């Protein structure tokens, strides 16, 4: 990317102008990756986006399978801003993704507005983040935001996407782009009744992580991995737009997929190893230790603390074999023997889970539960039950002994 040239002062001025336009209470987050890139680029280069050559699509070999990957470095900040100069990104919903994606796109100097139901929890949070309510500013009721937007980023909860669709659908008029971060509403249309109009591009950017991580990685100058997909391409530019939006909201690398593949893998993964299975395994291991007379601290340290603080980061850094190699030969022998037993035991559970995702059971449950008006309180109650489990209460004390402990 040595030949990608951006004049930093111009870029920052452009960003500042847009910041003014999009929200007076906003404090620029100059730790944002693109701001840093803009600052460090050579000053004697043309700012014309067209002058910035791109590396284009990358095809990489993933364990013998060739896959397409798009990267942020193909979208220098000036090119990104130029691409969206006539657009208003209307972010509908301000949960975890709305927060992360919205703030990142705003910091990237794009024209972003937020639409949420008035006086709900999200409205309050959006105001705290500097989205402003005064007419003509950046925070609106949902319908008004959609009317003002050209790119409608539907980041309501999946259940709310379905519940609000009868109101939202007529507002998605020709020329707008409909954006999702999950294939849920579109793929399970028989349950959600979300069927987009035929004359708009329908695209997806699904960050592979919580919206909080989307934001943190962006502020650190890194980017999150995201999936990108196109459901409907009316303009012939849908994929390009999806990739550009992926960059805008804070992605570093984007992996091409389909709406179907995204929703099946995502619903499966979060119920599996990412969340459901990990809580289940932690609890099972902890319970057996406790039943055999081990103290809570010993059971917690041997189950969660060592996993999250020592071993899982090693897997993240260089893979499973690297983590195994970092452990004693005694540990390696036992783990090598027991891994296939856990795999064999769990395989039928994972097969059942995938089936439950494919046949819509998981979607039905999610729509029913998260469609309730009390969904926040109901979820909070169940999460409180987890927090009250002995394993996690023991964990609080273990964490409080860390040298860098700052309270919870
Ligand atoms: N979180 C993740 O890790 C993640 C990762 C990748 C993709 N995604 C996808 O990103 C999208 C957004 O997810 P999220 O986690 O950011 O949000 P979420 O927590 O699932 O949804 C929160 C938003 O939905 C609104 N909402 C809920 N019920 C509503 C209703 N009946 N009418 C109007 N608004 C309603 C909330 O507003 P109120 O505050 O007013 O209730 C809030 O703004 C989803 O499609 C999700 O699958 C999420």
């Amino acid at each position: 990317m040595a030949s990608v040239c951006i004049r930093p002062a111009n870029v920052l001025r452009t960003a500042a102008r847009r910041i003014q336009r999009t929200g007076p209470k906003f404090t620029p987050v100059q730790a944002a990756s693109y701001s840093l890139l803009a600052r460090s680029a050579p000053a004697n280069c043309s700012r014309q986006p067209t002058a910035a050559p791109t590396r284009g699509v990358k095809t990489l070999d993933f364990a013998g399978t060739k896959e397409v990957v798009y990267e942020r470095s193909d979208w220098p900040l000036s090119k990104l801003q130029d691409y969206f100069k006539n657009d208003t990104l209307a972010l509908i919903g301000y949960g975890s993704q709305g927060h992360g994606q919205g703030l990142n796109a705003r910091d990237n100097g794009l024209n972003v507005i937020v639409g949420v139901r008035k006086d709900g929890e999200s409205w309050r949070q959006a105001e705290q983040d500097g989205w402003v309510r005064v007419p003509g500013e950046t925070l609106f009721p949902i319908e008004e935001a959609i009317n003002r937007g050209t790119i409608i980023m539907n980041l309501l909860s999946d259940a709310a996407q379905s519940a609000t669709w009868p109101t939202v659908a007529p507002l998605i008029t020709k020329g707008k782009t409909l954006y999702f971060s999950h294939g849920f509403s579109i793929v399970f249309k028989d349950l959600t009744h979300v069927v987009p109009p035929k004359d708009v591009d329908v695209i997806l950017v699904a960050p592979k992580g919580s919206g909080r991580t989307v934001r943190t990685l962006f502020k650190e100058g890194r980017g999150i991995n995201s999936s990108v997909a196109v459901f409907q391409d009316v303009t012939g530019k849908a994929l390009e737009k999806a990739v550009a939006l992926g960059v805008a909201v804070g992605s570093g690398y984007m992996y091409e997929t389909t709406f179907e593949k995204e929703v099946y893998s995502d619903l499966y993964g979060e119920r599996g190893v990412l969340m459901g299975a990990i809580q289940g395994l932690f609890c099972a291991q902890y319970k057996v230790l406790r039943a055999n007379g081990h103290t809570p601290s010993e059971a917690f340290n041997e189950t969660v603390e060592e996993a999250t603080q020592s071993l899982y980061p090693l897997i993240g850094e260089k893979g499973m074999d690297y983590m195994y190699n970092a452990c004693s030969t005694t540990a390696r022998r036992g783990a090598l023997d027991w891994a296939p037993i856990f795999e064999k035991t769990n395989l039928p559970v994972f097969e059942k889970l995938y089936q439950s995702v494919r046949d819509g059971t998981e979607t039905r449950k999610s729509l029913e539960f998260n469609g309730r008006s009390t969904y926040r309180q109901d979820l909070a109650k169940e999460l409180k039950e987890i927090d009250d489990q002995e394993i996690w209460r023991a964990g609080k004390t273990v964490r409080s002994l860390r040298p860098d402990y700052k309270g919870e």
Side-chain angles (χ1 to χ4, degrees):
M1 293 303 287
S3 54
V4 173
C5 305
I6 306 166
R7 190 173 293 141
N10 281 357
V11 170
L12 291 173
R13 267 200 301 278
T14 308
R17 272 202 302 276
R18 285 176 194 254
I19 285 156
Q20 270 179 352
R21 214 171 58 212
T22 55
K25 287 189 191 159
F26 169 62
T27 311
V29 179
Q30 292 303 354
S33 57
Y34 272 35
S35 299
L36 285 178
L37 279 178
R39 275 198 213 153
S40 58
N44 60 345
C45 302
S46 159
R47 193 186 160 268
Q48 289 305 311
T50 46
T54 63
R55 277 195 264 180
V57 177
K58 253 189 172 194
T59 302
L60 298 180
D61 187 323
F62 293 89
T65 301
K66 299 251 186 306
E67 296 186 49
V68 170
V69 179
Y70 301 90
E71 58 181 317
R72 182 174 62 184
S73 50
D74 282 344
W75 287 87
L77 192 61
S78 58
K79 178 179 167 183
L80 192 72
Q81 292 178 349
D82 190 68
Y83 191 80
F84 290 116
K85 66 175 184 277
N86 298 321
D87 281 304
T88 298
L89 278 54
L91 219 120
I92 309 305
Y94 202 73
S96 159
Q97 289 299 325
H99 163 89
Q101 297 189 27
L103 293 181
N104 291 353
R106 186 171 78 175
D107 286 351
N108 274 335
L110 304 188
N111 186 20
V112 189
I113 61 174
V114 170
V116 283
R117 55 180 163 187
K118 231 173 162 192
D119 302 324
E121 175 59 21
S122 296
W123 185 283
R124 196 186 59 72
Q125 285 175 6
E127 281 188 321
Q128 270 183 4
D129 288 343
W131 305 95
V132 275
R133 180 176 193 159
V134 184
E137 297 289 351
T138 55
L139 179 59
F140 302 96
I142 293 174
E143 291 79 5
E144 193 178 345
I146 297 176
N147 282 332
R148 286 171 178 260
T150 55
I151 297 172
I152 313 306
M153 301 170 69
N154 198 332
L155 297 177
L156 293 172
S157 74
D158 296 305
Q161 290 176 21
S162 170
T164 58
W165 187 246
T167 323
V168 166
L171 309 176
I172 312 287
T173 48
K174 189 174 178 182
K176 293 191 195 272
T177 297
L178 184 56
Y179 165 111
F180 294 94
S181 282
H182 203 4
F184 190 102
S185 292
I186 294 287
V187 173
F188 291 106
K189 65 176 188 309
D190 292 345
L191 299 169
T192 64
H193 309 296
V194 174
V195 180
K198 288 270 172 256
D199 52 4
V200 299
D201 287 348
V202 182
I203 57 179
L204 170 147
V205 176
K208 295 291 105 186
S210 127
R212 304 285 150 187
T213 320
V214 170
R215 182 64 179 154
T216 314
L217 290 179
F218 178 82
K219 282 164 75 175
E220 288 170 0
R222 300 160 66 198
I224 194 151
N225 285 345
S226 295
S227 297
V228 287
V230 171
F231 175 72
Q232 209 163 265
D233 186 2
V234 174
T235 60
K237 300 262 182 198
L239 180 59
E240 181 183 76
K241 219 182 307 176
V243 171
L245 281 167
V247 174
V249 302
S251 314
Y253 289 93
M254 285 145 287
Y255 296 73
E256 202 173 326
T257 185
T258 63
F259 273 59
E260 283 84 5
K261 290 274 164 47
E262 189 284 330
V263 74
Y264 298 151
S265 60
D266 196 70
L267 292 176
Y268 173 75
E270 66 203 7
R271 280 153 182 73
V273 159
L274 301 180
M275 294 171 71
I278 203 72
Q279 157 74 357
L281 269 183
F282 279 162
C283 284
Q285 172 158 317
Y286 182 90
K287 276 182 183 161
V288 171
L289 285 169
R290 290 289 287 132
N292 283 281
H294 298 268
T295 63
S297 71
E298 186 163 66
F300 184 85
N301 277 327
E302 199 55 42
T303 302
V304 180
E305 192 73 352
E306 183 169 345
T308 59
Q309 302 307 297
S310 169
L311 302 187
Y312 292 178
L314 296 178
I315 303 173
E317 198 186 328
K318 286 190 179 155
M320 190 61 87
D321 70 313
Y322 180 76
M323 185 272 274
Y324 269 50
N325 262 323
C327 297
S328 70
T329 48
T330 311
R332 263 178 268 171
R333 178 69 267 135
L336 285 166
D337 292 343
W338 276 89
I341 298 171
F342 278 107
E343 183 180 335
K344 194 169 167 210
T345 311
N346 283 298
L347 199 61
V349 182
F350 281 105
E351 278 162 349
K352 190 173 160 196
L353 169 58
Y354 194 83
Q355 197 43 42
S356 183
V357 167
R358 278 300 296 260
D359 68 17
T361 304
E362 299 303 312
T363 298
R364 237 173 264 117
K365 283 191 202 166
S366 172
L367 286 172
E368 193 279 311
F369 186 92
N370 295 319
R372 295 180 199 161
S373 60
T374 54
Y375 82 99
R376 276 187 190 273
Q377 298 91 305
D378 296 345
L379 281 174
K381 184 166 166 276
E382 280 187 69
L383 293 185
K384 172 86 172 64
E385 281 163 19
I386 289 189
D387 196 41
D388 284 343
Q389 287 172 347
E390 186 192 281
I391 178 173
W392 300 114
R393 283 189 284 118
K396 284 189 210 305
T397 312
V398 172
R399 286 195 293 278
S400 74
L401 300 176
R402 289 184 193 156
D404 56 353
Y405 181 73
K406 293 192 181 79
E408 302 198 357

